[in-house]
Each structure stands twice: as structure tokens, then as C-alpha cells.
Amino acid sequence: MANEEDDPVVQEIDVYLAKSLAEKLYLFQVEIEMAIDTLNPNYCRSKGEQIALNVDGACADETSTYSTKLMDKQTFCSSQTTSNTSRYAAALYRQGELHLTPLHGILQLRPSFSYLDKADAKHREREAANEAGDSSQDEAEEDVKQITVRFSRPESEQARQRRVQSYEFLQKKHAEEPWVHLHYHGLRDSRSEHERQYLLCQGSSGVENTELIKSPSEYLMMLMPPSQEEEKDKPVAPSNVLSMAQLRTLPLADQIKILMKNVKVMPFANLMSLLGPSVDSVAVLRGIQKVAMLVQGNWVVKSDILYPKDSSSPHSGVPAEVLCRGRDFVMWKFTKSRWVVRKEVATVTKLCAEDVKDFLEHMALVRINKGWEFILPYDGEFIKKHPDVVQRQHLLWMGIQAKLEKVYNLVKETLPKKPDGQSGPAGLVSGDQRIEAAKTKAQQNHTFLERELQRRKEQLQASTVLPSVHIKEEPLSEEGEEEDEQEAEEEEEPMDTAPSGSLNRLTNGLPAGQAGGGDSFNGHPPPGCASTPVARELRAFVEATFQSQFVLTLSELKRLFNQHVASLPRGHVLFSGISDHMLQDTVLAAGCKQILVPFPRQTAASPNEQKVFALWESGDMSDQHRQVLFEIFSKNYRVRRNMIQSRLTQECGEDLSKQEVDKVLKDCCVSYGGMWYLKGTVRS
């Protein structure tokens, strides 16, 4: 009430909405006033004649701009100021009433100087005619000309979109628009007075103005609509630009298709995070299978989505059907192995190198002297959670494999085998191969059980010598082994899962640190460990990991080991449980060393993240460079590049190239804020 007293109502005005001209009323904005009066004494007649001569030439015809051979008119070109005119209206106030008529369009009129372009074209034509000459000899020479015939390649969809969006195409389309002649009536003309009456509301009973019978809040909403409504009227973004706000207004199937078409390879967890927390995962699973295929637990967009039916290759002009078949072959290869060789794909598919490179860049990264590696790590979590989807995708891949065998004449016996450590659908095998594989597996299990029984007997004998040491008895039956395997699979972190008195931490009845009689930092594991199947498998994993990573923290190494164990088949020896000490001893025994990085006091890194291990000797030419780099980081937590460059030059000689420095930095370090850190020691 106090606010109403401070702001009293001075006058109430009735507002009416007129609709007679609602779809016909335009507002023209003219920035300048220009009138060409050729009889005015201030008009330069000679200049006007010269401009007309330059534009139309000496002879006048129907295409002449100035029919009077004098510049006596000016052309105005209109441009649309806004695409949304729903918030604008023309108002007419009469006898205490305000009549509003919605505007259909707002146009700005600016002078057009197209006649200058026409004059320049005429000038160039005259110069070309003068240079050509009029002699008969020139005319005879003109009769004999060499003509070069060129055949244009079929236009791809991307090239067509670029051409349609180009400035030249838009200008040509604008010039082809037909002229609309406008008949102007003055302010005092009788026709103007008649049309002006349509700006008044014709019905005084209020039937025509039902839109204005609103509550105050609804009326304000009509005057100032939410900003989301304006987003719908904005021009569509280019095809290579995604707006998440516009994307979420589309149906779920279209959202999934657009995301997969742009990203091409994506884990299911990332897709769910992009779609939002309110989206049903079951609906997403149903939609993703329509536009993508499952490869190593990740989703890769289908080939026919990237290459529609009527499209062709921008490099070779090959039709979409052949491109889809070649890309399916690459995807199928990645279901069998982490690595694919580009030359092998080109040999089988008979496609050009550019097309094969496009296929591989969609889903893989090139590794020097190794080939192309799949771009994402194996997603074992999705495989474990959705076995029904995995089985359905396995059946689809079997159908694709049969088609590829028929088209490319592939031999089943020479097909790539399923790699070790990767769970997923197996390839087609014959009955004899299944029998041989079963026999081999039975022999391996028998040998393993005998070794395990002998080892436990030795440990029981050792327990009689040291009665204070308690040896945990484990069942030897098949049921007990299945329970152990199930418990190992359910563990999220297999590190340190063994109990303090388990056999994994004891060697001959003694703790692992005492059995060796020496320091484990020197890389000497406890005696007898290297001969067990567990030690051999663990050693192979560590060596393969450090050959590709070079520098790892204990936390990152444990994460990679967990992924590796999750991808192993059931009953593998590594499911028995690996402790942190055993993993570290294996790392040191594999030619690696621990780098004592001086972390700052206020670091947020955990103890496992502060344990940094590096491959000290790998046998290549960069061993010396890496060793110098590790010595630098054993004294400094972060280092500038110029310091690393000078130290490497000092230790390795003046002939050290920039490429060699870049290689060792790329292998072992990361850059953040202008400084260089060892991998895993800094959080961006």
C-alpha cells in the first residue's frame, strides 16, 4: 500500500489491439534523406551525364540503368534488422485510446552503389577490346584456339554445404530475387487517409481484444517473454558447431545421433553425462544401438551415419557403400586387437590412403613404429554391467564378419585371434579347434594344480619349523576355486587384498622383505618369485606397461593393473590377489627405478601418487636422455624447458636436436602453466 501511495495512478488509458494490418504492416527505416532533382541549380549536370555514360555506355536499351542518359535516380537496398518482430507494434493514440497494430517486418533502407560496379565492368570490357585489336590477322588467330576440357568431380555433401553458405552464392541468390514495384502515396493523399483507418480497432465491443483481457502477470509475460523463446528464432549454427542448449530441445534419438556423429567414439558413461542426469539409461541404450556399434566396451558410430547412401568420398569419389564396407572392416579389426596396421587395411579394402587414414583417425591414434592403437581404453565395467547388450552386439559382429569374409575373400584360419587380456566376443572357430583348445586348457589347469599343491606342501613343512607363523588353509576343490574367483572379480581394487598372513606376502614361510636378504630398491625380487606363474604374468604386464608409458605413479600403475585384471578371463592366476609390495618389487626388477621427486609441503597428492617409478633402461637411443631428465626431477618438482634443454645439451653433447628433446619430454613429462612436470605429479 505504501508503494501505491508513492506512485499514484495519474491517468488510465484503454488499449486496443488492431488486427486489420497485422500481416501487412512493415516499418521502413531510412537513415538519410536523398532526393535527386536534376532541375535544381545545385545539381551538376555534366557529372550526372558522365556517370550515366560510364554505367550504360553510348547506346541506350532496355537494360540501361539511366534511360534519360542522366543520373536521375538512386536505388535503396533493404536489409532485415531483426528476425523476431513479435515484440514490436505501431501505436496510434486518438481520443484517449491507444490502438496497437503488430509489425510484420522491420527493414532498413540504405543507398545501393551497384551502378559503380557496372561502370567498372564496362571499363574493363573496353580495355579488353582495345588490347585485342581489330585486324583481320587477329580475327584469324581467334578462330584457332586450344580448348582444355576438364571433368568436375561429383560434389560431396560437405562441399555442397560450403558452397551454399558462401558469400558468392548468397549474393547470387539475392540478385535473382524479383523486383517488387512500390507505389508511394503521400501523407495527405486520400488513399493514405483510408489505409490509416485500419490502424484503429474496428470493434469497440472488445471482442477483437480478448488477448488484452489478461492478469497483470500474464500481461507482463506477453510484453517481455522469456529469453528461451528468443533462442528458437536465432539462425541455425553451422553443421560443425554443437550447442548443448539447442541439442537438448531435440528428441533423445536425435541427440544421441548428433553426439555420436560429431564425437565418433565415446564411452557409455560419457554419453550419459552429456545427455543429463534425468535421462533414462535404458532409453539411451536402446537409442545408441541404432547409431553405433560396440568396440572394446566403447561405442563407435556406424559407418552409414557418417557416409549416407547418396554420398561419396571427397578424396577418391568412391561411393558410400564401399566406404562403409571398408570402415566396418577397420572397426571389426579393433574388436579383435588393440592395434591395426594401416598398410594391411589398405591392402584388404583396396581403398586409397586418404580414405583409410580417415577411417583410422575416427577411432585410433598413431604410434610410431607400432601402428594405430584404439583411441579409448577397454571399458570392462560396461561389459560387466550389460551382458545382454554385449551378446546382441556379438551377434551383429558375427553377421558383419561373415559379410566381410565373403566380400574380401578372407580365410577363417588366418583371421586375427582374440588377444590375451581382452574379454569380448570370440571369432568363429571350428569344432576341431574347440576340442584342441579344451585339451590345451585342461593340461594347463592340471599343471597349475600340481604346482600349487607342491607349493602348499612346502609351505606346510615350513610352518612346522616356525610354529609362530600361521598358514591359512585354502580349499583345493573346484567349488573353493570358483568362490575365490568370484570374490576376486567383485573386488574393485585388487591391490592389498591379501590378508596379512596370506601366502602372497610370504616366501618359504618368511616375510618378503626378509627372504631376499637385500634391499628391494635395487631391483632384486625375493628368490623363487620369478618362477611362479603369478610372478611371470605380473612381470609381463609391468614390462609392457612401462615400455609404452615410461613414467607412472603407483596410483596410476594400480589403476592400469585393475583394468588389466578386469579384462582377463575367469580363473586367471592374477586373480589370486597382488599386494602393493609385490607390485613394487616387480617394477624394480623389470629395470625401473623409483624417482624421489621433492613434492612441495602443501601438495594434494596422496602417498601412492608421490611414489614415482620410471623405466631406467629400455634399450633404445633415448635411455641416456631420460636418465638425465630423471636426475633433474629428483632435485626439482617442476622445471622450465630451457633448463632441461641446457642440461641435456651439457650431458649428451651439442648435436642434440629439438626433435630428440621433444620426444623425451613427450614420453615422460607434461606441461602446465609454462612449467614441466613428470607425468602424474601435477593435477591440472
Side-chain angles (χ1 to χ4, degrees):
M1 296 296 294
N3 294 334
E4 293 180 359
E5 293 178 357
D6 295 340
D7 190 12
V9 177
V10 178
Q11 183 183 2
E12 292 186 359
I13 301 174
D14 293 333
V15 180
Y16 295 91
L17 180 63
K19 295 184 177 181
S20 300
L21 300 178
E23 301 296 330
K24 305 174 183 178
L25 189 60
Y26 284 83
L27 174 63
F28 292 91
Q29 298 177 347
V30 184
E31 298 181 354
I32 59 174
E33 295 182 1
M34 177 179 292
I36 300 179
D37 185 7
T38 58
L39 301 178
N40 193 296
N42 295 325
Y43 179 80
C44 182
R45 192 173 183 85
S46 61
K47 188 65 175 178
E49 292 176 351
Q50 183 63 41
I51 293 177
L53 180 64
N54 293 338
V55 173
D56 298 327
C59 57
D61 52 14
E62 296 179 354
T63 61
S64 299
T65 304
Y66 304 110
S67 58
T68 61
K69 296 185 179 181
L70 187 68
M71 182 182 177
D72 56 355
K73 60 183 179 181
Q74 171 68 53
T75 303
F76 285 82
C77 184
S78 65
S79 60
Q80 192 172 7
T81 58
T82 178
S83 59
N84 183 13
T85 58
S86 60
R87 297 172 56 183
Y88 298 92
L92 182 62
Y93 183 75
R94 176 172 294 184
Q95 298 177 358
E97 297 176 349
L98 184 64
H99 298 261
L100 300 179
T101 302
L103 290 176
H104 188 64
I106 301 177
L107 302 175
Q108 282 187 347
L109 298 179
R110 293 188 177 93
S112 174
F113 300 97
S114 57
Y115 61 89
L116 297 179
D117 298 333
K118 191 174 181 180
D120 292 341
K122 291 283 186 181
H123 179 68
R124 286 193 293 268
E125 290 177 1
R126 286 194 295 267
E127 288 185 349
N130 293 334
E131 293 177 358
D134 298 328
S135 63
S136 61
Q137 181 179 357
D138 293 339
E139 293 178 358
E141 291 178 355
E142 288 179 359
D143 294 339
V144 182
K145 289 185 178 180
Q146 182 179 0
I147 300 176
T148 302
V149 180
R150 296 180 180 178
F151 298 94
S152 61
R153 291 182 178 180
E155 187 179 29
S156 62
E157 182 65 21
Q158 295 179 352
R160 191 191 69 81
Q161 292 181 358
R162 288 194 297 267
R163 180 177 60 83
V164 170
Q165 295 176 359
S166 64
Y167 175 77
E168 181 181 359
F169 180 83
L170 295 177
Q171 287 294 103
K172 182 180 179 182
K173 185 177 180 181
H174 179 72
E176 292 175 352
E177 292 182 0
W179 281 93
V180 178
H181 295 281
L182 178 67
H183 300 284
Y184 176 75
H185 298 274
L187 183 63
R188 303 300 179 185
D189 191 88
S190 60
R191 180 64 183 272
S192 299
E193 291 289 345
H194 176 73
E195 294 292 336
R196 193 178 295 115
Q197 297 300 320
Y198 288 111
L199 296 177
L200 300 175
C201 181
Q202 303 300 318
S204 59
S205 61
V207 178
E208 191 178 357
N209 296 276
T210 55
E211 288 83 354
L212 298 183
I213 305 176
K214 302 288 184 181
S215 64
S217 59
E218 292 175 343
Y219 181 66
L220 289 176
M221 185 66 69
M222 292 174 61
L223 290 178
M224 297 294 295
S227 58
Q228 287 79 1
E229 296 180 5
E230 298 179 0
E231 296 291 337
K232 299 179 182 179
D233 297 329
K234 289 185 177 180
V236 180
S239 58
N240 59 341
V241 177
L242 269 180
S243 171
M244 294 303 297
Q246 294 180 353
L247 181 68
R248 290 180 178 175
T249 61
L250 302 176
L252 180 61
D254 294 339
Q255 295 184 43
I256 297 174
K257 182 177 180 180
I258 292 174
L259 285 173
M260 291 305 305
K261 188 174 181 181
N262 283 270
V263 181
K264 297 180 177 60
V265 183
M266 190 186 306
F268 185 74
N270 291 14
L271 179 61
M272 290 298 299
S273 63
L274 290 175
L275 294 175
S278 61
V279 181
D280 184 16
S281 61
V282 177
V284 177
L285 273 176
R286 192 181 302 112
I288 190 65
Q289 295 182 67
K290 298 179 181 178
V291 297
M293 296 291 293
L294 192 65
V295 178
Q296 300 190 21
N298 302 281
W299 291 99
V300 183
V301 64
K302 288 184 177 180
S303 302
D304 55 358
I305 301 295
L306 295 180
Y307 303 106
K309 186 176 181 181
D310 297 331
S311 63
S312 59
S313 169
H315 305 294
S316 58
V318 173
E321 182 182 359
V322 181
L323 293 177
C324 292
R325 193 161 54 235
R327 188 173 179 274
D328 288 344
F329 176 75
V330 176
M331 294 169 61
W332 174 75
K333 290 282 289 183
F334 276 120
T335 63
K336 304 297 180 182
S337 173
R338 288 284 302 175
W339 300 88
V340 168
V341 181
R342 176 178 171 181
K343 186 179 295 184
E344 178 186 356
V345 175
T347 303
V348 174
T349 60
K350 303 296 189 298
L351 292 173
C352 67
E354 289 79 7
D355 289 335
V356 176
K357 186 178 180 182
D358 285 349
F359 300 158
L360 294 170
E361 287 179 345
H362 290 170
M363 62 192 83
L365 294 175
V366 63
R367 305 296 186 188
I368 300 176
N369 298 329
K370 291 185 178 181
W372 291 77
E373 184 183 11
F374 194 68
I375 193 170
L376 294 178
Y378 184 83
D379 193 351
E381 183 178 356
F382 179 84
I383 298 293
K384 188 182 299 183
K385 285 185 177 180
H386 306 281
D388 53 337
V389 177
V390 175
Q391 180 63 22
R392 194 178 302 115
Q393 290 290 312
H394 172 46
L395 296 177
L396 292 176
W397 277 120
M398 289 178 63
I400 294 176
Q401 177 178 339
K403 181 179 178 181
L404 294 175
E405 290 173 355
K406 182 178 180 181
V407 174
Y408 294 130
N409 296 324
L410 301 177
V411 182
K412 290 185 179 181
E413 288 74 16
T414 61
L415 293 177
K417 297 181 180 180
K418 174 182 171 182
D420 295 337
Q422 176 182 338
S423 63
L428 296 176
V429 294
S430 61
D432 295 336
Q433 290 176 336
R434 291 176 183 270
I435 295 174
E436 292 296 328
K439 290 180 179 179
T440 304
K441 185 175 181 180
Q443 292 176 359
Q444 292 176 353
N445 292 338
H446 180 69
T447 305
F448 171 73
L449 291 175
E450 286 184 348
R451 292 179 180 177
E452 189 71 10
L453 180 60
Q454 183 65 26
R455 182 174 63 86
R456 293 183 180 182
K457 288 181 178 180
E458 294 175 357
Q459 291 171 351
L460 289 174
Q461 294 175 1
S463 65
T464 58
V465 179
L466 297 176
S468 60
V469 180
H470 174 68
I471 303 300
K472 179 182 177 182
E473 291 290 336
E474 297 182 359
L476 299 180
S477 62
E478 295 181 356
E479 296 180 356
E481 292 177 359
E482 291 177 356
E483 292 176 357
D484 292 342
E485 292 172 1
Q486 184 176 0
E487 291 175 359
E489 289 178 353
E490 292 176 353
E491 289 290 334
E492 294 182 357
E493 293 289 340
M495 298 301 168
D496 280 332
T497 57
S500 58
S502 68
L503 302 179
N504 291 325
R505 294 202 180 189
L506 296 178
T507 304
N508 297 329
L510 295 175
Q514 300 176 8
D519 188 9
S520 63
F521 183 82
N522 295 328
H524 300 288
C529 279
S531 61
T532 63
V534 176
R536 288 197 298 270
E537 290 289 338
L538 186 60
R539 177 71 175 264
F541 162 77
V542 169
E543 290 178 351
T545 303
F546 275 93
Q547 283 292 338
S548 59
Q549 300 290 342
F550 296 100
V551 177
L552 286 172
T553 63
L554 180 58
S555 177
E556 180 66 10
L557 182 61
K558 289 168 63 176
R559 186 186 68 83
L560 295 175
F561 181 76
N562 289 339
Q563 291 183 354
H564 176 66
V565 172
S567 65
L568 295 175
R570 296 190 60 179
H572 198 274
V573 293
L574 289 182
F575 277 101
S576 58
I578 303 298
S579 66
D580 288 357
H581 295 290
M582 186 174 182
L583 183 63
Q584 294 180 65
D585 291 342
T586 306
V587 170
L588 298 174
C592 303
K593 286 189 177 182
Q594 183 176 357
I595 309 301
L596 302 178
V597 180
F599 283 81
R601 293 183 179 179
Q602 303 298 329
T603 181
S606 63
N608 285 342
E609 291 176 339
Q610 296 185 27
K611 292 183 179 181
V612 184
F613 298 91
L615 182 61
W616 193 257
E617 293 181 357
S618 63
D620 59 6
M621 301 297 294
S622 302
D623 282 348
Q624 184 182 2
H625 305 159
R626 285 196 299 270
Q627 293 171 9
V628 174
L629 185 69
F630 297 152
E631 291 178 358
I632 295 174
F633 280 99
S634 64
K635 300 178 181 179
N636 300 278
Y637 171 64
R638 56 182 182 180
V639 187
R640 294 190 179 276
R641 180 188 171 91
N642 55 3
M643 179 180 177
I644 298 174
Q645 181 91 31
S646 60
R647 182 68 182 275
L648 286 173
T649 304
Q650 179 182 356
E651 297 290 337
C652 304
E654 296 291 337
D655 56 346
L656 187 67
S657 63
K658 180 178 179 300
Q659 289 77 9
E660 293 175 331
V661 177
D662 292 339
K663 181 181 183 303
V664 71
L665 288 176
K666 182 179 179 182
D667 291 341
C668 306
C669 303
V670 292
S671 177
Y672 182 71
M675 305 294 290
W676 288 87
Y677 303 79
L678 279 181
K679 288 183 177 179
T681 61
V682 62
R683 298 180 179 179
S684 57

